[in-house]
Amino acid sequence: MGALPAEIGAGVTFRASVCLPVYPATEWGLSLIMRGASQIDLAADSDGENHNLHAAARETAGWLPGHYRYELRVSDGSDVITVEAGEVRIAPDLSAQGAGVDNRDHVRKVLDAIEAVIENRASIDQQSYQINNRSLQRTPLNELLKLRSRYRAELAAKNASRKRRGMGRTIKVRMP
């Protein structure tokens, strides 16, 4: 079903329309429950057969960034049924961040770190060494190259999925 996007931005308006023919909004209420860095609960409004979730920007501004588990639940007053469950990321409010914030995602940070180590290898040829009672072992170069390839592929896939997001989607607009 995938009623929620993979990422919701804090500080911006959130809207999602959920169509559940088996649980129409005329007979069932829908709730979104998210748990993670904070506790977020939204009740949907009905729009004919559809359930509409809405949170104004001033409300989402208080949502703490991080990864959340969520459930979409319907209720008719006596029965409560989970119709969807998954994970969603609340992205930080970019307008609330100051200069100097590192907004790279995990994949980009790790890839940059791996590449920095590879670049510094040209001047360091010891695989391991020991000073007094302390020892240090370096990751072999061939393993670093494999890791770099894996993270490059993961980053390329992520970038490709971002580019495809708008393709093929139907956006319905009502004109007054």
Side-chain angles (χ1 to χ4, degrees):
M1 183 183 332
L4 295 185
E7 185 174 280
I8 299 171
V12 296
T13 301
F14 167 70
R15 292 181 194 272
S17 183
V18 183
C19 179
L20 300 168
V22 177
Y23 306 105
T26 54
E27 301 170 28
W28 295 81
L30 178 82
S31 296
L32 169 62
I33 301 162
M34 293 191 285
R35 298 295 184 268
S38 59
Q39 176 178 323
I40 301 167
D41 297 315
L42 285 178
D45 295 323
S46 68
D47 178 21
E49 300 285 311
N50 293 332
H51 305 272
N52 290 330
L53 294 163
H54 175 258
R58 68 181 175 279
E59 184 178 352
T60 67
W63 293 1
L64 296 176
H67 292 277
Y68 288 73
R69 291 277 309 147
Y70 77 86
E71 285 188 3
L72 287 172
R73 294 180 180 178
V74 292
S75 175
D76 64 359
S78 60
D79 290 330
V80 177
I81 299 166
T82 299
V83 294
E84 183 175 312
E87 292 185 14
V88 65
R89 178 178 178 264
I90 304 293
D93 181 355
L94 194 58
S95 68
Q97 295 180 341
V101 174
D102 186 356
N103 283 312
R104 295 175 299 163
D105 66 4
H106 169 74
V107 174
R108 171 49 69 191
K109 286 178 184 177
V110 172
L111 180 57
D112 288 350
I114 291 168
E115 289 178 341
V117 170
I118 291 170
E119 287 176 15
N120 288 331
R121 278 296 168 89
S123 61
I124 302 171
D125 51 354
Q126 296 94 356
Q127 188 69 6
S128 65
Y129 61 88
Q130 184 170 347
I131 299 174
N132 295 330
N133 290 332
R134 294 183 174 225
S135 65
L136 173 69
Q137 285 195 322
R138 300 186 185 281
T139 305
L141 185 58
N142 63 340
E143 287 184 35
L144 286 170
L145 294 173
K146 286 179 192 176
L147 282 171
R148 181 177 67 175
S149 294
R150 183 170 33 171
Y151 275 91
R152 279 182 173 173
E154 190 173 335
L155 184 64
K158 191 178 259 191
N159 289 339
S161 75
R162 283 186 185 136
K163 287 179 184 175
R164 284 192 305 265
R165 263 191 208 147
M167 307 282 291
R169 292 175 62 188
T170 301
I171 300 173
K172 297 179 183 178
V173 177
R174 286 188 203 166
M175 302 302 277

